[in-house]
Amino acid sequence: MHDKYKTKAQLITELNELRLQLTSCKSPDNKKLTHIKISRPIIKSPEYLSRFPNENPEPVFQTNKRCEIIYANKASECLLKSWVTSKSGLLSIDLQMKMINAFATNQAFLVEVLCGKKVFDIHCVPLVDFECMNFYAHNITERKRMDEALRENENKYRTLFEQSVDAILIIEHEKFIDCNPATLEMLGYSDKKELLNTHPSDLSPEIQADGRNSLEKANEMIVTAFKKGNHRFDWEHKRKNGEVIPVEVILSVIPFGGKKLLQVVWRDISVRKQVELELQRAKDFAEESNRAKSEFLAKMSHEIRTPMNGVLGMADLLLGTKLDAEQKEFTKMIYESGKFLLTVINDILDFSKIESGNLSLEYIDFNLYEVIKSVTDLFQKKAQEKKISFSCVTANEVSDKLIGDPVRLRQILVNLISNALKFTNEGGVSVKIEIEKETTVAQFLRFEVIDTGIGIKQRNITKLFQSFTQEDSSTTRKYGGTGLGLAISKNLCKLMGGEIGVESEVGKGSLFWFTLPLNKSQNSAVKTTNTTEINNLDYNDQQISIYSPVDESPLRILLAEDNLINQKVATKQLEKLGYSVDCVLNGKEALMKINSTQFDLVLMDMQMPEMDGLEATEAIRASETSGQRIPVIALTANAMKSDQEKCLAAGMDDYMSKPFTKEQLKRIIEKYIIKTEQFEF
């Protein structure tokens, strides 16, 4: 009977015989087996074994039906030493039983064997006709290591998945196929079966916060995630009870079971959204407060400057009349008090702009020496009145052609020099300008204002540059001032990239300094000055009148001003300068006047009834033909930079804020009258 037809009893009998053979520790030729030499075949190979080359890198060996190894290549040595029973030289009993079953069923089988640190898969193939079995081993150590690492990672992932406080879901084919407990808790479900096979849009409101349809947007986000590998965005989901919750969604493509799935992480951002909403409300409130504050300051500035123009203008006109000594003294006190009040108003406006971040700087070409001269001209008379010296020395290396904000530079110098003169009664005040550092494109200038005044106590120096602060209350009572000048100067220096500081000693005087980086100008249009020292000069003799209208027929000026006092002030100032003046109360009357009368220049207030100055100017420009352009200058109590920009945008040629002096009025008119006359033949 063929082996494959043996009964179970026969197989058991044969296995028992094999067990007896193993127990006797004898080989088939009755020789004791102490070890196996794998380097050569144990039994001479028949010809059909030539298909298993001895140099095969994978272990290959063969046994007979009695489980005796009859062939093994060199690669099998290590494997067989671990696998063969050490005393008998035969394969293990468990393997023998599998072999007997394989011969009985003529079915191959697979076993996994650990050989030291290596793992092998061995395919055992029975050859019934040849009464032998072939063994083909494959080293799967690396694969096992990877499988183990994968199982470990899967276990870790499953732990994280189950214990995460964030909702985690898995998407396949745009449907949820799994979710963790945190997802159920977030959405208010008790069984994950309620969520499986649903689309993300099924758990969302129909429309998202950005107005997009949830279904369309969800599909787009999924496609984007598969393209990029991951994707993050904000989303709104819906709880089982219908409540909408904002979440941050993180999509990540993950490999799983040979296919790509999409891991979805939801993070509840309700608190974050609430904070963002509150911050936005606070921001809106702050911006609205700033706007209201700016509007209030602009309105108050206008309301204060309008009567101030009348006070200062009338006082100035009164000083030009015949007054006795006492009358002149009183009028001068009115004028000086008005100027001081105007300084306070300007300081408060500047401080407010800086505090709200609305102060803008210019970066234009300017002549440094012209700025310095305009400042020293301003204080020369004051120094002479106090009988103290006043000088300004500029290093020869300092360029006169620079780029920056000349108005704000002048403001800082005016603040520091004004303070120095205020607190100095003996000795003098000097200004020094020198180069602290220079590059190919810029000069870092150091400005110093040195006085021999009362000095400052060391403990009070740190308070000097704080808002509304002076050295002490006695200083405020004796010398006056708001305490804003130095705070404004500090902020202006900071905005322009510089620094400011002070050195002082009580009874000996103070040295205020500031530094500014100013780019060098390459503009040839900027006038070059060779002056390097200004020291106790009398500038009154150098003032030259550019134009004197009294030598010719008086020029005709139209004044549009609704405030009768300011109209009176401006009219008298213009008449004293030799001009002929026509007055109107609003922009509508100004247009009618221009259509019927030839004027050389228009002075236009901004805020007037019926038609304001901006609308009137636009109408004037619209009606002018080619080659015709009458100069229009704004005279307004609106002192904000935005007001100046509005005037220029409407077509006005220049802007002058109230209150103004007769000299300022003269300079700005002559600027445009001269321009006009240059083209007349």
Side-chain angles (χ1 to χ4, degrees), residues 3 81 89 162 392 403 476 532 617:
D3 285 349
K81 280 184 178 180
E162 295 295 335
C392 179
I403 301 174
T476 305
T532 58
T617 302

Side-chain angles (χ1 to χ4, degrees), residues 404-428:
D405 192 326
V407 174
R408 296 305 176 182
L409 170 58
R410 185 179 188 277
Q411 185 174 355
I412 298 171
L413 285 170
V414 167
N415 277 336
L416 297 185
I417 296 173
S418 176
N419 281 344
L421 287 171
K422 182 193 299 184
F423 297 111
T424 303
N425 295 316
E426 294 181 355

